[in-house]
Amino acid sequence: MVEPFPFVDVSGTPYERGRQHGAAVPKRVKRSIELYGGQLGDLGYDAAAKSRLIGEFAREIEAFGAHYIEEMRGIADGAGVALEDVIMINARTEVIAKAKLEKSKPVGAEEELDDGCTGAIILPERSATGELIHGQNWDWKAECAETAIVLRVRRDDGPDFLTFVEAGGLARCGMNAAGISITANYLESERDFTQVGVPLALIRRKVLEQEHFAFAIKAVATTPKACSNNMMLSTVAGFGIDFECAPDAAFPLYPEDGLIVHANHWVGQVALTKITDTGIPRVPESFYRDWRVRKLLNEAGRALTVDDLKAAFFDDFLTPHSVCRPPRLNDTGNLSATVSMVIMQPAKGTMEVAPLPALNRVFTRYSLTDEPVTLAQAAE
């Protein structure tokens, strides 16, 4: 049996929300810290050097939004861990890259792939119900099945939201009560880590705090980043857009025939005239993962359902280097897998999540308003 991801429901001030989060899943927060914190020690950082490095990112985050640091402080107090370790969880990609650069170690091919994913948006004109569907397979460390949670944040200062996230994190993919959804995929370019930027997790969180879709776009398209990333945005009103982001630029991709599908390689022709895709050695299968999902959705017909999207994301073509990845050793010797399949229906306010979907077809339905419900096993 693969256990469902724990559901954590928080409310109150940013600090109170964080404290409830940390107290609800302290073991998972500590496991997140173990996964990422040890890398700094391996790079030769003692306690003082680690505090200095993470302090730089704390200042960047506080300038972006002081309430984020307050929520992280609450998580730390609730879980009984250090604040700097929670900041590390929320800026892990950027912190490790900066540490490598400080130690004159290359940030590149030997580094473990961060957040390989395949995402899709089905617009209302291609949906059997006339309602938008937004989903993603998240490929990362198989151990993250032991760290991830589904977090519901009830806010007094904006829309409530649901996010699938590693314990201790403020956001990953998710949707809010204003009908705005976001997923994100790893991208890489030669511009990465040449400038200071806001950690990606905080940009995703900023999106989920917005009442209006225009300001969600602003958060993605205009916030300076330290590294490349692909972010897929949608609104319950019936529109979706993909932004292939370099640290200092964002290149939009629009729906084609009612669909957006993206994996882990750059596809925009404008972007490809300006940047170099340096991630291909790590994700060569990306070139057929997005093709497979688009092909399977088109073969399913004009009126697509949640089950059609799940079937496309369960695809095992050329396994284990497939859309749905079973646990396997990657090039760095670590166990990698599709950690979760996430399917969001913003009109219904629901998110269906299956842990380790290559091994498990049981989804739990999480809601902006109701308690979680275990669903029947998805068909083979």
Side-chain angles (χ1 to χ4, degrees):
M1 283 290 295
V2 178
E3 291 296 317
F5 295 110
F7 175 62
V8 179
D9 187 17
V10 303
S11 60
T13 67
Y15 177 82
E16 290 166 346
R17 296 192 303 243
R19 190 172 181 87
Q20 293 160 26
H21 174 166
V25 285
K27 290 182 180 178
R28 289 198 171 228
V29 173
K30 290 169 184 172
R31 183 72 175 118
S32 293
I33 293 166
E34 288 173 8
L35 280 178
Y36 303 120
Q39 295 179 61
L40 288 179
D42 293 342
L43 288 167
Y45 278 76
D46 61 18
K50 176 183 171 186
S51 294
R52 174 194 56 76
L53 177 66
I54 294 175
E56 295 176 19
F57 287 92
R59 290 188 289 276
E60 192 76 27
I61 292 168
E62 190 159 27
F64 190 57
H67 62 294
Y68 299 132
I69 293 294
E70 279 304 297
E71 191 160 337
M72 291 182 205
R73 194 183 310 281
I75 293 169
D77 290 350
V81 300
L83 171 60
E84 67 181 30
D85 287 330
V86 177
I87 295 171
M88 170 75 181
I89 294 170
N90 283 277
R92 56 176 169 78
T93 302
E94 294 84 358
V95 168
I96 295 299
K98 178 77 181 296
K100 283 179 171 285
L101 290 170
E102 287 188 352
K103 297 293 184 179
S104 299
K105 293 182 181 293
V107 181
E110 87 293 342
E111 174 126 356
E112 193 163 2
L113 170 63
D114 184 49
D115 298 339
C117 302
T118 312
I121 300 171
I122 299 171
L123 295 189
E125 59 263 36
R126 291 294 302 275
S127 167
T129 64
E131 296 173 348
L132 182 141
I133 308 168
H134 189 155
Q136 177 185 58
N137 274 9
W138 180 42
D139 305 331
W140 185 220
K141 296 173 183 280
E143 299 98 318
C144 285
E146 304 166 9
T147 69
I149 62 172
V150 175
L151 177 68
R152 180 168 68 192
V153 179
R154 299 178 185 267
R155 301 173 63 215
D156 299 324
D157 53 351
D160 297 346
F161 64 85
L162 274 176
T163 180
F164 171 81
V165 64
E166 292 161 279
L170 297 194
R172 172 158 294 286
C173 64
M175 54 174 285
N176 72 14
I180 296 168
S181 302
I182 182 170
T183 56
N185 318 33
Y186 160 88
L187 283 179
E188 188 179 304
S189 77
E190 86 287 1
R191 298 187 192 181
D192 291 352
F193 308 113
T194 59
Q195 69 174 47
V196 175
V198 175
L200 298 172
L202 278 301
I203 298 173
R204 298 166 189 167
R205 171 60 179 265
K206 187 83 165 180
V207 166
L208 293 173
E209 293 176 342
Q210 302 310 307
E211 289 274 10
H212 197 286
F213 192 64
F215 295 103
I217 289 175
K218 179 182 177 182
V220 168
T222 69
T223 304
K225 306 163 189 70
C227 58
S228 302
N229 198 238
N230 187 75
M231 300 196 198
M232 306 177 73
L233 298 174
S234 66
T235 168
V236 70
F239 177 67
I241 189 167
D242 182 287
F243 284 99
E244 294 185 322
C245 299
D248 57 349
F251 303 96
L253 296 173
Y254 287 87
E256 294 183 5
D257 195 21
L259 298 176
I260 302 176
V261 181
H262 204 288
N264 299 118
H265 61 285
W266 297 79
V267 299
Q269 294 305 301
V270 174
L272 288 169
T273 65
K274 295 177 179 290
I275 62 94
T276 300
D277 189 338
T278 56
I280 293 170
R282 294 198 277 172
V283 286
E285 82 289 346
S286 178
F287 287 106
Y288 58 80
R289 278 194 279 116
D290 62 343
W291 172 79
R292 282 291 298 179
V293 169
R294 189 177 293 107
K295 179 177 186 290
L296 291 168
L297 290 175
N298 283 326
E299 288 175 351
R302 301 297 304 174
L304 297 169
T305 66
V306 164
D307 287 343
D308 291 326
L309 184 54
K310 288 178 180 178
F313 282 162
F314 276 124
D315 183 48
D316 63 357
F317 176 76
L318 295 180
T319 191
H321 302 275
S322 44
V323 172
C324 192
R325 180 190 302 177
R328 61 169 173 80
L329 291 176
N330 63 15
D331 292 343
T332 64
N334 290 310
L335 199 61
S336 173
T338 298
V339 177
S340 65
M341 186 186 300
V342 178
I343 309 290
M344 296 178 285
Q345 298 177 80
K348 293 180 171 62
T350 60
M351 170 192 288
E352 297 182 13
V353 186
L356 297 172
L359 308 177
N360 161 63
R361 288 178 172 251
V362 177
F363 286 80
T364 300
R365 179 181 293 145
Y366 304 88
S367 169
L368 284 164
T369 55
D370 299 324
E371 292 304 299
V373 176
T374 302
L375 304 178
Q377 181 166 306
E380 294 281 349

